[in-house]
Amino acid sequence: MRNSLILIICVLMAGLVFSPCAWGRDKPIKIGINAPMTGDIPKVGEGSKFAGQMWLEDIKAAGGIEVGGKKYPVELVIEDNESKAESAVKINTKMITEDEVLAIVGPQSSKQAVPAGEVANNWKTPVVSPWSTNPDTTKDRPYVFRACFLDPFQGPVLANFIKEEFGFKKAAVLYDVASDYPKGMAEFFKQAWEKVNGEGSVVAFESFTTRDVDFSSQLTKIIKSGAEVLFTPQYYNEVALIVQQAKELGWKGPIVGSDSWGSVETVKLCGEACYGLFFSSHYAAAGAKGATREFIDRYKKKYGYVPDDVGALTWDALRIVQKAIESCGQLTGKIEKDRQCVRDALAKIKGFDGITGKMTFTEEGDPIKCAVIVKISDKGKYEFYKSVCP
């Protein structure tokens, strides 16, 4: 009888210790980073990973993330989506169902963020995409947020900037029709430009397909169209080819880009052909101050180059997730309940002071924040030119 009683007590104690609630409180908090380490834009993934590693260093130095007076250790689950939508979807599914992450940062580009965000939303797992500006990323998805402005805001910012800066009336657009971000950005720019300059003022609206490298046919049409400015919302691997080929074919006007130009690789690949050109972005490294300058200096010392906007936005996204977790008050160890708490806390964030600017989330999960116009200097530096706010 006595042995049976002891056995029952031991079983009950084991059940208490190893129940999901009690065990979960001692487990590390897992945060996923879904980023393109390989594929078309590996530098985007590298910047994401490096920013994540810096953030984790700070968390470890602080003894973990504090929630309700208790400090929890943190692990980053960093996965390569290969710059492919299908890989990004698989990664989110794995992180949610196998790794049991509390939240996910990424994917970065809209081509991966839109489908992967749907998966996370279906699983009721909070996501913050640092860099995806396509409206569909967060549309009708209460669990999906972003740390950047949207294309419907960025399009008019660029159209108005070009009009005010140069006084032009005719524009051309060259974009990748097979990729969500440039396709959407091209359309928003066209709408904004024609609203300012009249219907038909986009005199050439030329497209190509992902991995094309010869743009001579499209650029020849653009040059013959009478366009005064060329807008191309492409990634760094394509910008260099487009700008260089345009100038070789005799293009004399300015070429303007969007936030996809923000990687340091843009100038590295493009060289002097890109000097003097403008693009919209989330921050400018040259002339940065305060916490932004501290981040840049620390990143450069550690990794050997100035971080692009993706690195800075990833840093902000991780800190936003951290703030939401801290605001929960407690973690129950029940992953579904804790994910819900983080999601609700994200939605309530107001006046967050990020290194890419202050932000307050709308009900749709989008931040209200300013855009920056960057000029590429004659030394290849990204210089702040002006700020445009909602």
Side-chain angles (χ1 to χ4, degrees):
M1 181 70 179
R2 185 171 180 273
N3 289 340
S4 297
L5 184 60
I6 290 172
L7 178 62
I8 292 169
I9 292 170
C10 287
V11 170
L12 289 172
M13 289 181 68
L16 178 63
V17 170
F18 293 104
S19 69
C21 181
W23 177 59
R25 288 179 64 83
D26 294 325
K27 285 174 64 177
I29 294 170
K30 291 184 180 181
I31 307 295
I33 293 183
N34 186 339
M37 308 295 175
T38 57
D40 296 332
I41 47 174
K43 273 292 180 180
V44 170
E46 181 181 272
S48 306
K49 180 179 72 174
F50 287 167
Q53 290 172 341
M54 281 175 52
W55 174 81
L56 188 60
E57 285 177 4
D58 288 353
I59 295 299
K60 288 182 176 179
I65 291 180
E66 185 172 338
V67 187
K70 176 182 173 62
K71 286 193 175 181
Y72 293 81
V74 177
E75 290 181 8
L76 281 182
V77 181
I78 303 176
E79 297 277 3
D80 174 21
N81 64 39
E82 307 171 301
S83 305
K84 297 177 181 178
E86 58 271 25
S87 296
V89 167
K90 289 179 182 177
I91 286 170
N92 266 14
T93 303
K94 173 186 174 291
M95 286 181 172
I96 294 165
T97 61
E98 297 179 27
D99 299 318
E100 292 192 327
V101 297
L102 185 56
I104 297 172
V105 170
Q108 299 285 9
S109 67
S110 298
K111 189 172 184 177
Q112 290 87 51
V114 173
E118 182 178 9
V119 170
N121 192 70
N122 290 342
W123 281 95
K124 296 184 178 181
T125 301
V127 166
V128 179
S129 173
W131 202 48
S132 176
T133 53
N134 189 298
D136 289 341
T137 301
T138 56
K139 186 179 180 181
D140 298 325
R141 296 173 178 177
Y143 288 83
V144 183
F145 300 77
R146 74 179 96 218
C148 54
F149 49 68
L150 277 72
D151 292 336
F153 168 64
Q154 187 177 193
V157 163
L158 286 161
N160 291 330
F161 165 73
I162 293 170
K163 184 68 175 180
E164 293 169 5
E165 186 73 19
F166 301 106
F168 294 151
K169 294 182 179 179
K170 297 179 180 180
V173 180
L174 178 59
Y175 68 99
D176 181 356
V177 72
S179 184
D180 289 344
Y181 167 77
K183 182 175 183 292
M185 191 65 238
E187 291 169 350
F188 284 118
F189 175 83
K190 183 176 185 289
Q191 291 170 12
W193 183 263
E194 293 191 336
K195 185 176 181 180
V196 173
N197 296 283
E199 187 175 348
S201 55
V202 172
V203 293
F205 197 66
E206 296 294 318
S207 64
F208 61 91
T209 302
T210 307
R211 293 189 177 85
D212 283 354
V213 294
D214 183 358
F215 309 101
S216 57
S217 175
Q218 295 94 328
L219 289 168
T220 298
K221 292 178 183 177
I222 287 169
I223 291 169
K224 290 180 178 180
S225 72
E228 299 164 288
V229 60
L230 169 59
F231 172 64
T232 182
Q234 293 308 128
Y235 297 108
Y236 64 81
N237 55 319
E238 297 149 336
V239 171
L241 295 172
I242 291 170
V243 172
Q244 290 165 355
Q245 290 177 28
K247 295 196 172 183
E248 287 170 2
L249 289 168
W251 174 262
K252 302 298 183 183
I255 301 175
V256 177
S258 57
D259 64 310
S260 55
W261 284 36
S263 171
V264 293
E265 292 295 294
T266 300
V267 170
K268 186 176 179 181
L269 295 173
C270 191
E272 293 186 9
C274 279
Y275 289 5
L277 301 186
F278 295 91
F279 64 93
S280 56
S281 187
H282 306 272
Y283 96 132
K289 299 177 182 179
T292 308
R293 171 50 55 191
E294 291 175 12
F295 169 80
I296 292 168
D297 291 345
R298 179 181 166 193
Y299 186 107
K300 186 178 180 181
K301 182 178 180 181
K302 191 171 183 65
Y303 301 114
Y305 64 91
V306 174
D308 55 24
D309 58 349
V310 173
L313 286 166
T314 301
W315 176 266
D316 276 351
L318 284 162
R319 290 181 59 238
I320 288 167
V321 169
Q322 177 186 345
K323 180 177 176 62
I325 294 170
E326 292 169 342
S327 298
C328 273
Q330 69 167 335
L331 295 179
T332 66
K334 297 177 180 178
I335 194 69
E336 294 85 0
K337 188 172 183 179
D338 291 337
R339 285 171 177 165
Q340 182 68 49
C341 182
V342 173
R343 181 267 157 207
D344 293 344
L346 282 168
K348 295 176 183 176
I349 289 177
K350 298 185 184 299
F352 178 82
D353 195 9
I355 62 171
T356 62
K358 285 187 178 293
M359 60 188 90
T360 294
F361 286 111
T362 66
E363 292 181 2
E364 291 75 28
D366 303 321
I368 301 169
K369 63 186 300 190
C370 303
V372 172
I373 300 296
V374 172
K375 182 178 183 179
I376 303 175
S377 74
D378 58 6
K379 294 182 180 179
K381 304 294 183 183
Y382 290 169
E383 295 182 340
F384 173 88
Y385 193 75
K386 69 186 296 185
S387 181
V388 182
C389 297

